[in-house]
Structure formats: C-alpha cells, structure tokens
C-alpha cells in the first residue's frame, strides 16, 4: 500500500427526496455528508478493507406538505472485498 493501510473517507453530496405522508406528498432538498475510516488488510490477491463510518442527512428547502423534516444520522460498519 503506497499510503499505508489506513484510508480516511470523506464525502459530501446533495439530492432530492420525495416524501409521502398523511398530509400528502412533496419534495425536499437534502444534504449528505459521510465521514469514515477503512483499514486495508495486507492480502496479495485481493483488496480487503474493514471500515466504519457515519453518514448524516439534513433537509433543506422543502414543499409545504412535508415541512418540519428532521436530520438523520446513520452509523455503520462494513467489509469490502475486491479482486
């Protein structure tokens, strides 16, 4: 590994969410951020990484029918295997 076995992960993005609820439906802009770290195992024939991270989602501009949306966070762990 050129940069060592520990790989920091950082990502940001945005999107559009469609929400359907009892008041009707509408759209909301969302902002997404991910922060994590992966550890690469030293296998010769495969790229195997163990990782953990947190992803946060915040609502932005929204239609009146879906106002009062909250932010959410997702914490996860993963294993990735590539050949």
């Amino acid at each position: 590994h050129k940069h060592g076995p520990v790989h920091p992960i950082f990502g940001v993005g945005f999107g559009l969410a469609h929400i359907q609820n009892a008041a009707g439906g509408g759209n909301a802009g969302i902002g997404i951020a991910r922060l994590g770290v992966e550890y690469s195992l030293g296998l010769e024939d495969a790229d195997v990484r163990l990782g953990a991270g947190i992803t946060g989602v915040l609502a932005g501009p929204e239609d009146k029918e879906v106002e009062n949306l909250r932010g959410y966070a997702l914490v996860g762990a993963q294993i990735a295997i590539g050949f």
Side-chain angles (χ1 to χ4, degrees):
H1 304 285
K2 291 191 296 185
H3 301 289
V6 177
H7 303 274
I9 307 292
F10 178 72
V12 295
F14 61 92
L16 179 70
H18 179 75
I19 299 98
Q20 188 72 34
N21 60 22
N27 297 313
I30 57 172
I32 304 166
R34 178 174 183 234
L35 181 63
V37 64
E38 291 185 346
Y39 180 80
S40 182
L41 302 178
L43 302 177
E44 290 188 28
D45 293 337
D47 181 15
V48 179
R49 296 181 186 196
L50 304 174
I54 185 167
T55 301
V57 180
L58 292 175
E62 57 204 20
D63 291 338
K64 184 177 180 181
E65 294 82 10
V66 294
E67 63 187 0
N68 298 325
L69 292 176
R70 299 179 183 175
Y72 293 90
L74 173 67
V75 177
Q78 67 273 349
I79 183 170
I81 302 172
F83 298 94

